[in-house]
Amino acid sequence: MTTPPRPGARHTASDLAALVRDPATRVVLCCGSGGVGKTTTSAALALHAAEAGRRVVVLTIDPARRLAQSLGLSELDDRPRTVVGIDETRGGRLDAMMLDMKRTFDEVVVAHATPEAAEQILANPFYQSVSSSFAGTQEYMAMEKLGQLRTQAERDGTWDLIVVDTPPSRSALDFLDAPERLGSFLDGRLIRLLTAPARLGGRVGVRALGGGMALVSGVLSKVLGTQLLGDVQTFVAALDSTFGGFRERAEQTYARLSEPGTAFVVVATPEMTALREADYFLRRLRSEGMPAAALVLNRLVRPATGTLGARGADGAAERLTGGSQEAGAARAARALLRVGAASDRVAERHAQVLAELRSSHPDLLVSVAAAEATDVHDLAALRRVGTSLAG
């Protein structure tokens, strides 16, 4: 039996494909800044694991719904949908779903509140705004949904691997920071101040707190409006009595990320901004003792001219001269050599970036996904990406 990795321990898989095939790997979180290819990486890893015999569910939080296209599904929602067309000869299967942020928040309320409190919270206008648009809610609910999926998998064996495509945040760190921000807001001093009168009994509570509190409440009413202030007070009072404080729940959710069997895969492109974000994220994972398993360098350009190289291709293009009478074939060949030389210069820069990454992170598995000529939009393209990650 394979021993599950300790929280924060280095994974020892020889490549990324081996990591997702390993029965000890139960959760894979693909993280990175927006636009680096997390969705494609998540889908490719999930497909590879399923065709290797694992029972996999991939959860996307990408509002562009590219995952549905690449998996051949007409749509995705918060119900797991089976992906057809995969190789199931090894006994694996693949389900895909998309986070419904508000519905997940509603499920949390219903699961942890009395029916009367749940009805009060769900009908509250402030809750309806928070549950669909408050900063950090998407990231927090992604973790909530992950917790629900893990519970279901452990209870009935529905899946043995969960792959999560994390939210398309401006910064990769948003995924780790947002639950704490949300918990701090809903359990913080300002919210306590807002709800103090309600906890002590409306206007009687304001008088009990003294003139200073009454003055603060009056100012907040003018700034927020009496109706909004009342909605906030009612919402947080009901939420606090039901949940025991959002901060505690956020901390519990955050702690699940360091559990054995969890693997973070950080995705970046060979561009300075994305690499800087990836480096910050890796440092954060290590400082928190979380299991950073691999770094994926996505959209890596390969040499186009073989052994000729950029300089050789430029030189060959210069030698193809013929003045105004040069043949059309020579013109075409020279144009192709110029294009190949330009591509090779990019490939050389990408190869240098890859070498530097492997040198600066000797304890980290660094995988590569080659740049695709077209968008990844079907299972065949996802298999190519998976093959590249395995190589």
Side-chain angles (χ1 to χ4, degrees), residues 11 13-30 41-42 44-56 160-163 263 265 293 365 386 389-390:
H11 291 264
S14 58
D15 58 60
L16 199 48
L19 177 74
V20 298
R21 290 195 303 265
D22 186 351
T25 305
R26 310 289 293 183
V27 176
V28 172
L29 297 115
C30 293
T41 301
S42 302
L45 292 176
L47 175 62
H48 179 87
E51 295 190 329
R54 303 201 67 182
R55 302 183 305 278
V56 187
D160 55 34
L161 176 64
I162 302 167
V163 180
V265 174
L365 175 64
L389 292 171

Side-chain angles (χ1 to χ4, degrees), residues 52 68 85 114 126 179 191 200 244 254 257 278 287 327 334 374:
T114 63
F126 182 72
I191 295 300
L200 293 177
Y254 189 84
L257 299 179
S287 71
R334 184 163 62 181
T374 60

Side-chain angles (χ1 to χ4, degrees), residues 297 302 367-372 382-391:
L297 192 60
R302 301 290 194 185
S367 294
V368 170
E372 290 282 321
L382 283 176
R383 288 190 185 97
R384 290 196 300 271
V385 174
T387 299
S388 183
L389 292 171

Side-chain angles (χ1 to χ4, degrees), residues 126-381:
F126 182 72
Y127 166 77
Q128 293 171 4
S129 175
V130 167
S131 62
S132 58
S133 61
F134 188 78
T137 307
Q138 189 179 52
E139 287 85 353
Y140 184 87
M141 288 305 133
M143 291 190 187
E144 284 286 349
K145 180 57 69 174
L146 170 60
Q148 293 176 11
L149 293 174
R150 290 189 73 158
T151 299
Q152 182 178 349
E154 292 163 1
R155 183 182 64 243
D156 55 25
T158 308
W159 307 289
D160 55 34
L161 176 64
I162 302 167
V163 180
V164 179
D165 163 34
T166 60
S169 307
R170 177 193 58 80
S171 167
L173 292 178
D174 287 349
F175 180 68
L176 295 181
D177 290 337
E180 176 68 17
R181 289 202 308 270
L182 184 63
S184 296
F185 171 77
L186 293 174
D187 201 31
R189 290 184 178 180
L190 175 60
I191 295 300
R192 296 294 182 186
L193 182 67
L194 291 171
T195 57
R199 292 200 303 274
L200 293 177
R203 295 186 178 183
V204 174
V206 172
R207 289 196 296 271
L209 289 170
M213 181 63 205
L215 178 61
V216 171
S217 292
V219 171
L220 289 173
S221 294
K222 291 180 181 179
V223 173
L224 299 177
T226 303
Q227 183 61 49
L228 177 57
L229 179 59
D231 290 340
V232 173
Q233 290 173 336
T234 303
F235 163 65
V236 180
L239 198 64
D240 185 62
S241 64
T242 303
F243 286 72
F246 244 71
R247 180 187 295 277
E248 180 181 354
R249 186 167 181 81
E251 289 173 352
Q252 293 173 350
T253 303
Y254 189 84
R256 291 186 68 91
L257 299 179
S258 60
E259 290 182 351
T262 299
F264 281 86
V265 174
V266 182
V267 185
T269 56
E271 306 302 329
M272 188 59 65
T273 302
L275 290 170
R276 188 180 298 116
E277 288 281 353
D279 186 64
Y280 289 158
F281 194 77
L282 287 169
R283 291 176 186 272
R284 173 67 179 276
L285 290 175
R286 287 168 176 154
S287 71
E288 298 288 335
M290 292 185 178
L295 172 65
V296 171
L297 192 60
N298 195 23
R299 300 169 191 155
L300 192 82
V301 174
R302 301 290 194 185
T305 63
T307 58
L308 195 58
R311 184 174 299 180
D314 277 333
E318 289 295 331
R319 292 191 293 272
L320 282 173
T321 59
S324 60
Q325 302 299 318
E326 68 177 333
R331 288 197 302 271
R334 184 163 62 181
L336 287 173
L337 284 166
R338 296 290 192 199
V339 171
S343 178
D344 278 6
R345 281 191 286 273
V346 175
E348 289 167 5
R349 178 169 60 84
H350 286 186
Q352 182 178 1
V353 168
L354 178 60
E356 291 174 353
L357 281 175
R358 285 177 169 156
S359 175
S360 60
H361 298 283
D363 60 339
L364 186 68
L365 175 64
V366 179
S367 294
V368 170
E372 290 282 321
T374 60
D375 288 340
V376 176
H377 59 274
D378 58 21
L379 293 179

